[in-house]
Amino acid sequence: MLVHIKQLFPNSGRDVVGKFAYPAFNTQNLETTMGIIQAAEELGVPVIIDVSEGAIKYAGLTTIFEIMATLAIKAKVPVALHMDHGKDVEQIKTGIELGFSSVMIDHSGDDVEKNIKATKELVDFARTEGAWVQGEIGRIRGSEDWINVSDAEALLTNPDDALKFVQATGVDTLACAFGTIHGIIKIRGGATPVVDLPRIKAVYDKVKIPLVLHGASGVDENIIHEAILAGVAIINIDTELRIAFTEALRKSLADQPEEVDPRYVFKPVIEAVKQTAMKKLRQFNTKNVVVSSQ
Ligand SMILES: [Zn+2]
């Protein structure tokens, strides 16, 4: 069933934060979305599905929303839909009107005052439509779509800035730079992410809203567990699903060189996405979460 993201955080998030985290899986297409939802259904747990501006450019906003929403409505588990790393305010507003219950505005590349102004304007709009807004404070390393932040520029989230940002904007969830890195480099032998666990605790103790960990593909399971205990309640996973998808696709084509029906080519690909998503859903332990009815 399609749910509002707020239904995943009953009791002002107190039933979730410090205990569980929802994976927010990025999708770009039908097959990835199918794999994610099948994983959540098999385990009987709720899930968040994200779409980035890059994926929207690829698939079209309405098209990808309809794919996500149609599969979510039919799903046997609660599914919430989120627009990730929005820079284009008009597009974010269109997404809210379409039915995304959560959107992210990312002005983390600007100074704090500009970031606050842009984020607050979107929060004011989102309130009238009933949507949640995720802001970002601090700068997460790596590259994701239009974002390119070199190591030298990287700025981890300052807990006092985070409090100021949350109070001034009224965001519902907060993406922070805790040392993780966007993209593929860390998995293929590049820079190793060092997660600043005390910083997560310090930020959560100030802001008391669900924290979002971006760039978490490839981060050690024990570190993820510590991050959840410290206050991370949503963990974005993109790269690991992309790798599962493309590696399975290469193998599927090699294994069935005569196959011309995309449905059979994609069958093991959907399964690979599902297995990777199931691994994360198990790690993040949302089995005992109670989802609110409204
Ligand atoms: Zn991100």
Side-chain angles (χ1 to χ4, degrees), residues 26 50 84-85 104 106 134 136 140-141 144 147 175 181-183 212-216 236 238:
N26 275 77
D50 282 6
D84 208 30
H85 283 293
M104 177 184 186
D106 178 0
Q134 180 181 140
E136 178 170 327
I140 300 162
R141 286 200 290 163
E144 180 174 272
I147 303 165
I181 303 169
H182 279 127
V212 187
L213 188 64
H214 284 241
N236 285 17
D238 187 0

Side-chain angles (χ1 to χ4, degrees), residues 10 34 43 46 58 70 74 83 96-97 108 114 124 131 141 145 150-151 161 177-178 185 194 203 207 216 257 277 284:
M34 288 168 76
L43 295 176
Y58 165 74
T70 305
K74 286 191 196 162
M83 268 175 96
I96 291 171
E97 285 165 351
S108 61
K114 275 190 186 164
D124 289 343
R141 286 200 290 163
D145 301 330
S150 74
D151 291 8
D161 285 351
F178 292 129
I185 42 172
V194 179
V203 171
V207 302
F284 301 172

